[in-house]
Amino acid sequence: MEPSKDWREEKYEETLQEELRGLKRRREADPDCTVDDLEGTLRHLYHMEGADWLGRGEVQGITLSATIAAYELFISAWKAEKP
């Protein structure tokens, strides 16, 4: 029997997949959306990650990490499509 995933792993994976779906929908629906736009958002997410003066909760930290990972993956895949 495979051990069940920890709730943290489940939350991370759930958030990652939701963000990837959202980014895909955004790209398909918004012809003005560019890699540069997403990289700008990613820079903001990095800033949020480093600006944890008051201490974020565990769930918020997991969510932010998964969101950053989704942006990194999506941007990388989009760039790889270009010749």
Side-chain angles (χ1 to χ4, degrees):
M1 175 185 275
E2 182 180 327
S4 64
K5 284 186 176 180
D6 179 45
W7 69 267
R8 293 164 194 83
E9 293 171 356
E10 289 180 9
K11 180 63 179 169
Y12 183 92
E13 187 63 30
E14 174 187 303
T15 303
L16 178 74
Q17 294 305 319
E18 285 176 5
E19 289 293 332
L20 287 171
R21 282 190 299 274
L23 288 166
K24 182 180 181 213
R25 282 192 305 268
R26 178 177 174 189
R27 182 179 178 193
E28 291 170 351
D30 182 0
D32 295 327
C33 179
T34 65
V35 168
D36 288 341
D37 294 332
L38 300 183
E39 287 177 331
T41 301
L42 182 57
R43 282 190 298 275
H44 176 71
L45 291 168
Y46 287 144
H47 179 75
M48 287 176 51
E49 184 180 44
D52 188 17
W53 308 286
L54 301 176
R56 70 179 54 90
E58 190 170 11
V59 173
Q60 289 174 318
I62 292 166
T63 300
L64 183 56
S65 293
T67 300
I68 288 171
Y71 271 81
E72 291 172 340
L73 287 168
F74 193 83
I75 290 167
S76 177
W78 193 346
K79 285 181 173 182
E81 290 174 11
K82 296 184 179 184

